[in-house]
Amino acid sequence: MKNKIQNWVDSLENKNNPDEYESKQLVRLFGIGVPEGERLSPGSAFEKTSIDPPYVLKVCSSTILHKTELQGVILNSGPDTVADDRNLMQKRFPKENILVEHQSSFTGPEFIIGIIKDSALGHAVMVGAGGVFTEIYKDTAFRLAPCSVADAGDMIEELALSPVFDNFRGLTLDKEKLAKTVSAVSQLADKMGDKLSQLDINPIVFCDEEWLALDVKVMLEP
Amino acid sequence: MDTLSSLQQLLNPQKIAVIGASKSKGKVGEIVFRRLMGSRRRLYPVNPKEIVIEGHKVLADIGSLPQDIDLAVITISAAAAVNAVEECAKKGIPNHIIVAGGFGEVGEEGRKLEQKLKNLTRKYNIRILGPNSLGIFLPDENIDTIFVEHGDKALDRKGKVACIVQSGSVGVEALGYASNTGYGMRAFVGLGNKCDLDEIDFLKYFDQDKKTNCLGFYLENIERGREFLDAAKKTTLKKPVVVLKAGMTETAVSAVSSHTGKLAGSDNVISGALKQFGIQRVYDDEEFCDATKVLSMLKQAPGNRVAVLTAAGGYGVMCTDFIEKDENRAPLKMAKLADATKQKIKEATFDFTACENPVDITASADDRMFSQSLDALIADDGVDIVICIAFFAPPGISENLIDIIAEKTNSSDKPVIVFTKYGPFTDNFIKNLYFAGVVGYPSVGRTVRAARFLVERARILKRLGQEE
């Protein structure tokens, strides 16, 4: 794993500041599901993609944090429109890469999984109610990294949101798999060591029987 | 000498030097020396200004001390204390308690003095408790160097809780509360500024101490955080560990740009970490004492179903509300009583007794009715914990009820916790319950919270057991 992480660090376009595409590559190394995607550099040719439609197009920059507010996301693109949508996006952000991804459909709530570094205790992993309102709900649970799957299960049970796993409104979300994902993220923090400053997976959703990280942001120590 | 052996010597010294021992009433050197006079250890007061204190010849300087002193209690002020420690070290004294403040907690000058102490521990291979330490108090060993009033007479011998506290006044108040209401103190250690000995050293010591069955820590900072947590987790397999952690940890978030960083708020991290390592967290000195008392005196709860026995209807309802309240620490539920149990209670009391849980035997009840109803509840397989709401004002209830409850508590595998009040006599009743071996609290909320500590403890053991 050490080599894989080093290779990943070496491959970063903007050293120490991974973009969304690269952040997703990192979590994938730890078995966390991400949508199939392609990163297009400015000016590169693009007609079509082998990825299954529908598509979501996102500006893929390590410096833009809130893509939606800057019109940096186009949803529901199809095989016939994806090339035009890419051009439109490139006009908005002439110097940035564009990420084309399969747009996953999901039901059920969005979760957030994250990592921070505490000055006294080191890396801590968090799970919580995710999405754009995550900081308003403040429905979160923390443990130190690495944490076991059982610990992660306790964390999920601490959430106000946890009754969604009890067949709430017919939802069949896999709690055990989410716990495994939280534990895997904590392993990532442990393996990355001091290099890792913060990490956000928000949202992570349940899609085709797997938890899928729709957006990932990794922050490294300078 | 390894740390465990030197702590053994520090906490149970045979020959003690008191540097700055004094005759002047109210001086720290006077109080500490007077307390130690009760310890039946060999005492060596040192003070150039005194000749004799209470029949003890006072030595003029540290150089005149014999070679085999186990512990020096340094009661003089900061700068002088540093020199005294060095002289004691040269004399071969291995352990030192420094009472004085005025070190790292007051600024740059103090920090320099504290660094000097640290250097001395390395240079002479000595151990220091403090500076700014409240001292140590071990009722069983008859050792007490605490220089503030703390009602030690009321703290029962044979206590089993080791209290390790960083701050002075919080520690003193915990002692005060404990002695007002009865509390089994095994040891009280004031860590102070922790220039040498810290919470991890004492955790490891009391982990091994056969007379300790519960450890409580009041901490403001945990410098070796992970190490403390790892060690505490090992202890929790055998003994409950309770932590009162004040002051938020700082979360080093270089630029708070992540959602996680904004949500961490730092106290969330320590809360999660304590849970992860099987440590029970409390939030003030009262809760600290409540938790350690019940965890030390009662067995863990077999489950979370609570039966409530009351002679006062209002408190029974209130108690039910507290039990059913959604609490993160550990959920409780009202036990569903077996028909046989209800029948037994009716036969023992009145036809009109409300036998649904909470069981209200009314103010017309007497000692016998209370006793037989309690028997029925303890015997019910659907009950894991019994909360007894005992009032001594009704004419049929006498103080014998204390012994009745005690006898059942001591012979039952199920925890029985008592809530009682009696106007200005409340503390006395709680204390008398304690002396009979019964855990009692003067409020409904605290009584129910105590039940949660037992359930939380059972869950921790179950979880740690799964990991084994």
Side-chain angles (χ1 to χ4, degrees):
Chain A
M1 190 48 84
K2 272 228 156 67
N3 281 341
K4 284 185 182 167
I5 292 172
Q6 193 51 52
N7 290 343
W8 176 82
V9 171
D10 293 342
S11 76
L12 295 179
E13 270 194 5
N14 183 349
K15 210 169 164 45
N16 284 328
N17 205 354
D19 64 22
E20 179 178 345
Y21 180 77
E22 293 161 336
S23 296
K24 282 177 170 164
Q25 297 293 319
L26 176 67
V27 299
R28 235 176 62 167
L29 288 178
F30 288 83
I32 294 151
V34 296
E36 201 183 349
E38 216 175 297
R39 183 175 64 180
L40 309 171
S41 53
S44 63
F46 178 73
E47 293 298 329
K48 58 181 182 191
T49 168
S50 58
I51 300 168
D52 281 343
Y55 307 111
V56 53
L57 289 86
K58 300 181 187 180
V59 57
C60 188
S61 159
S62 52
T63 53
I64 298 175
L65 269 177
H66 298 294
K67 299 180 282 282
T68 315
E69 285 84 337
L70 297 169
Q71 293 190 300
V73 180
I74 297 175
L75 291 164
N76 301 316
S77 189
D80 303 335
T81 57
V82 65
D84 289 346
D85 284 338
R86 185 270 176 119
N87 290 337
L88 173 62
M89 192 71 112
Q90 200 73 74
K91 256 182 216 143
R92 288 179 191 160
F93 303 96
K95 291 181 180 155
E96 306 291 353
N97 292 331
I98 306 297
L99 181 61
V100 179
E101 277 185 342
H102 171 68
Q103 184 181 316
S104 312
S105 58
F106 62 93
T107 50
E110 300 174 316
F111 284 84
I112 178 173
I113 301 176
I115 296 285
I116 52 121
K117 192 152 75 180
D118 182 272
S119 57
L121 298 169
H123 284 131
V125 61
M126 176 192 88
V127 66
V132 288
F133 299 116
T134 182
E135 283 164 35
I136 294 176
Y137 293 136
K138 292 190 172 68
D139 182 18
T140 60
F142 286 81
R143 294 293 186 272
L144 299 187
C147 83
S148 66
V149 177
D151 282 327
D154 288 349
M155 293 167 75
I156 295 166
E157 269 168 37
E158 274 174 36
L159 301 179
L161 191 55
S162 76
V164 294
F165 292 98
D166 306 330
N167 223 346
F168 181 78
R169 293 194 161 217
L171 286 173
T172 50
L173 307 171
D174 194 320
K175 180 155 72 173
E176 181 70 13
K177 278 185 181 166
L178 182 60
K180 281 182 179 157
T181 307
V182 172
S183 175
V185 173
S186 81
Q187 300 292 341
L188 181 157
D190 194 49
K191 291 283 185 298
M192 290 280 288
D194 279 342
K195 183 86 189 139
L196 180 66
S197 166
Q198 300 165 59
L199 179 150
D200 268 345
I201 302 177
N202 185 31
I204 182 164
V205 298
F206 197 59
C207 173
D208 294 334
E209 298 304 307
E210 295 300 331
W211 288 94
L212 201 61
L214 296 190
D215 200 352
V216 182
K217 177 69 193 160
V218 171
M219 275 160 259
L220 300 178
E221 290 294 346
Chain B
M1 196 186 278
D2 64 25
T3 304
L4 285 190
S5 317
S6 60
L7 284 184
Q8 168 87 43
Q9 194 182 31
L10 171 83
L11 296 172
N12 193 7
Q14 300 310 311
K15 294 186 177 179
I16 307 167
V18 180
I19 315 301
S22 172
K23 257 196 322 231
S24 313
K25 248 201 154 5
K27 272 198 154 186
V28 173
E30 185 264 340
I31 302 170
V32 170
F33 191 75
R34 180 159 43 84
R35 290 223 193 283
L36 283 171
M37 282 199 302
S39 71
R40 290 187 293 263
R41 314 294 163 115
R42 293 284 296 277
L43 299 183
Y44 299 88
V46 177
N47 189 342
K49 292 181 202 145
E50 304 276 3
I51 294 161
V52 67
I53 305 173
E54 301 279 336
H56 287 83
K57 182 172 172 281
V58 181
L59 302 173
D61 51 50
I62 291 167
S64 311
L65 283 166
Q67 294 290 349
D68 54 350
I69 302 281
D70 298 313
L71 167 68
V73 183
I74 320 273
T75 68
I76 53 183
S77 63
V82 176
N83 294 330
V85 169
E86 177 144 28
E87 283 182 60
C88 287
K90 282 182 182 157
K91 204 69 205 174
I93 301 178
N95 301 294
H96 306 78
I97 296 175
I98 303 175
V99 176
F103 286 89
E105 78 280 12
V106 294
E108 193 46 40
E109 276 307 298
R111 265 194 291 280
K112 280 185 193 154
L113 288 175
E114 202 164 310
Q115 188 54 48
K116 280 187 185 167
L117 288 178
K118 280 187 191 170
N119 297 343
L120 289 177
T121 61
R122 281 191 281 273
K123 184 172 174 192
Y124 294 99
N125 194 23
I126 53 168
R127 304 314 306 248
I128 295 177
L129 177 61
N132 201 13
S133 162
L134 203 53
I136 57 172
F137 169 42
L138 291 91
D140 245 22
E141 330 288 12
N142 216 0
I143 285 288
D144 183 359
T145 75
I146 302 207
F147 60 92
V148 289
E149 196 50 60
H150 59 80
D152 53 316
K153 293 280 180 294
L155 293 166
D156 184 30
R157 305 290 165 101
K158 308 255 181 291
K160 293 188 175 113
V161 185
C163 296
I164 295 107
V165 301
Q166 189 168 352
S167 139
S169 44
V170 176
V172 170
E173 289 315 314
L175 276 168
Y177 159 80
S179 63
N180 278 349
T181 52
Y183 183 91
M185 185 81 73
R186 159 63 181 139
F188 182 92
V189 176
L191 290 177
N193 296 6
K194 309 192 282 196
C195 85
D196 175 34
L197 292 168
D198 68 8
E199 56 277 6
I200 301 177
D201 298 314
F202 287 98
L203 173 74
K204 289 181 174 167
Y205 180 82
F206 288 108
D207 172 278
Q208 295 292 313
D209 180 48
K210 288 197 174 61
K211 292 180 175 176
T212 300
N213 75 355
C214 176
L215 287 78
F217 292 85
Y218 168 75
L219 299 172
E220 283 161 4
N221 67 322
I222 314 177
E223 267 165 43
R224 300 184 280 157
R226 289 266 180 165
E227 220 180 308
F228 176 75
L229 293 170
D230 283 331
K233 189 173 175 181
K234 291 197 186 97
T235 302
T236 56
L237 282 167
K238 299 176 282 184
K239 308 171 183 186
V241 178
V242 173
V243 167
L244 169 55
K245 170 76 180 71
M248 306 286 178
T249 55
E250 269 174 56
T251 301
V253 178
S254 24
V256 182
S257 39
S258 70
H259 291 295
T260 311
K262 287 175 190 155
L263 288 163
S266 71
D267 196 54
N268 291 327
V269 176
I270 188 82
S271 263
L274 292 173
K275 275 183 211 158
Q276 190 175 0
F277 288 78
I279 299 163
Q280 297 181 260
R281 187 177 191 188
V282 294
Y283 292 87
D284 66 14
D285 44 339
E286 182 185 84
E287 194 179 10
F288 176 88
C289 292
D290 284 359
T292 46
K293 183 175 188 172
V294 73
L295 288 166
S296 159
M297 289 176 69
L298 293 179
K299 296 186 191 88
Q300 49 159 313
N304 67 350
R305 299 163 301 174
V306 186
V308 178
L309 176 62
T310 182
Y315 283 116
V317 177
M318 222 185 270
C319 192
T320 307
D321 287 345
F322 272 102
I323 287 168
E324 287 179 341
K325 211 161 115 189
D326 203 10
E327 281 275 347
N328 219 335
R329 185 183 294 284
L332 298 175
K333 54 186 178 208
M334 291 296 282
K336 225 177 129 39
L337 302 180
D339 289 340
T341 307
K342 295 179 199 169
Q343 191 54 37
K344 276 193 243 172
I345 294 170
K346 262 199 202 310
E347 280 163 16
T349 57
F350 311 102
D351 281 343
F352 57 79
T353 300
C355 282
E356 297 300 328
N357 195 12
V359 175
D360 181 5
I361 57 175
T362 78
S364 311
D366 60 25
D367 291 352
R368 180 194 55 80
M369 295 178 192
F370 214 102
S371 168
Q372 290 175 357
S373 303
L374 189 50
D375 280 335
L377 291 176
I378 291 173
D380 191 319
D381 285 338
V383 173
D384 300 310
I385 303 170
V386 181
I387 287 179
C388 240
I389 300 177
F391 282 82
F392 295 90
I397 301 286
S398 76
E399 288 188 29
N400 292 336
L401 185 59
I402 291 176
D403 289 329
I404 292 170
I405 297 172
E407 193 204 314
K408 298 184 199 308
T409 317
N410 298 332
S411 60
S412 156
D413 274 341
K414 293 177 188 174
V416 179
I417 309 174
V418 174
F419 158 54
T420 191
K421 262 186 182 173
Y422 201 166
F425 316 111
T426 301
D427 277 4
N428 268 338
F429 273 93
I430 302 283
K431 204 192 290 186
N432 288 338
L433 281 164
Y434 169 74
F435 286 132
V438 179
V439 181
Y441 299 99
S443 90
V444 184
R446 287 165 65 185
T447 309
V448 174
R449 187 173 67 183
R452 289 190 202 279
F453 286 118
L454 296 178
V455 175
E456 183 185 37
R457 172 72 184 149
R459 293 172 120 203
I460 287 168
L461 284 177
K462 196 174 155 208
R463 159 52 47 82
L464 295 178
Q466 283 166 354
E467 284 178 20
E468 283 287 279

